[in-house]
Amino acid sequence: MEELIGMMEESNRSACRRVIEDQGDLLRQAPGSTHNHQAWQGGYWDHVVEVMNLWVLLYRSFEATGRLAELSPEEQFTLADGLPVLFMHDIEKPWRALLVDGSPALDADGSLVIRPDLVDKGARKAFAERKLEEYRIEFSPQQWNAWQYVEGLRDSEYSPKDRVMRPLAALCHACDLLSARALYDFPLPGGNAWGLGRVATG
């Protein structure tokens, strides 16, 4: 993670390090989801590291083909641009579990019980936006678009006359989609190695 954060530009590099300094224990213990992906203790951290590694790998792959240089000037982005977006893309998740005596509450099937004030998606988004503000994460318009649409477009957001999701957002979404839907049980509990990480960050 430190190597990935080191690829960011200031001031987001320092801001993301402050998030870890303040909340590192919580971030490293939280599950990645209630049951769909990286749902084990520590899965949140596994998911975030993985999407950031995927970003570096995919960015460098597309960069090598010359395709990124073909984007219009206002749509071009750098390797550094996607990393803070992906670091913060699920930032509300570590706080959403209902705690009972300091431990996350589980329902009968073992799924997390979500805090009543964070059940609604709008409430979770508002909570995440407050975290961006609290840690003074600075996003360009492209990065803000990517952060908003990293999980994709809802039907109500789609427009046949406008590209609502911009290219940076699309590549961030691809990273999240791969981790959450294709690699949802990787790394398995007890193993943190991600072989492609050596390619992505080496």
Side-chain angles (χ1 to χ4, degrees):
M1 175 64 84
E2 176 55 32
E3 188 173 356
L4 290 160
I5 290 177
M7 296 179 183
M8 297 179 190
E9 294 180 354
E10 287 293 357
S11 63
N12 285 334
R13 183 190 310 135
S14 294
C16 291
R17 284 175 176 154
R18 284 195 301 274
V19 175
I20 295 174
E21 288 169 6
D22 291 352
Q23 309 294 341
D25 289 344
L26 178 63
L27 302 183
R28 291 183 181 93
Q29 293 298 314
S33 69
T34 53
H35 54 78
N36 279 339
H37 68 87
Q38 289 89 18
W40 52 85
Q41 185 176 6
Y44 170 83
W45 187 264
D46 289 334
H47 174 63
V48 172
V49 170
E50 183 170 63
V51 295
M52 292 171 72
N53 268 305
L54 284 165
W55 165 264
V56 177
L57 183 66
L58 293 179
Y59 180 92
R60 287 182 171 166
S61 297
F62 279 109
E63 183 183 41
T65 69
R67 293 295 298 275
L68 296 180
E70 296 174 0
L71 293 172
S72 63
E74 65 272 14
E75 290 185 329
Q76 290 185 8
F77 51 86
T78 68
L79 175 68
D81 288 338
L83 292 169
V85 172
L86 290 166
F87 180 82
M88 298 296 291
H89 84 284
D90 274 341
I91 194 61
E92 79 287 353
K93 283 188 175 180
W95 283 270
R96 69 180 181 167
L98 181 67
L99 298 180
V100 176
D101 296 328
S103 298
L106 303 177
D107 63 19
D109 69 357
S111 297
L112 286 176
V113 177
I114 305 303
R115 283 170 41 178
D117 61 326
L118 292 179
V119 170
D120 177 75
K121 191 170 184 68
R124 294 197 301 271
K125 183 177 181 182
F127 183 95
E129 288 175 350
R130 290 194 296 273
K131 288 297 175 188
L132 293 178
E133 184 176 350
E134 177 183 349
Y135 284 97
R136 298 181 182 177
I137 301 293
E138 298 179 357
F139 284 161
S140 68
Q142 273 227 77
Q143 288 174 308
W144 183 250
N145 177 267
W147 186 80
Q148 288 181 302
Y149 298 116
V150 68
E151 294 182 349
L153 285 175
R154 295 178 176 273
D155 289 344
S156 61
E157 296 168 322
Y158 173 77
S159 169
K161 298 181 179 180
D162 183 35
R163 292 187 185 91
V164 178
M165 180 191 290
R166 312 309 290 180
L168 175 60
L171 194 56
C172 287
H173 176 49
C175 297
D176 187 52
L177 191 65
L178 284 168
S179 178
R181 299 293 175 257
L183 308 171
Y184 54 86
D185 61 356
F186 187 86
L188 293 174
N192 291 317
W194 199 69
L196 287 177
R198 291 191 294 274
V199 176
T201 63

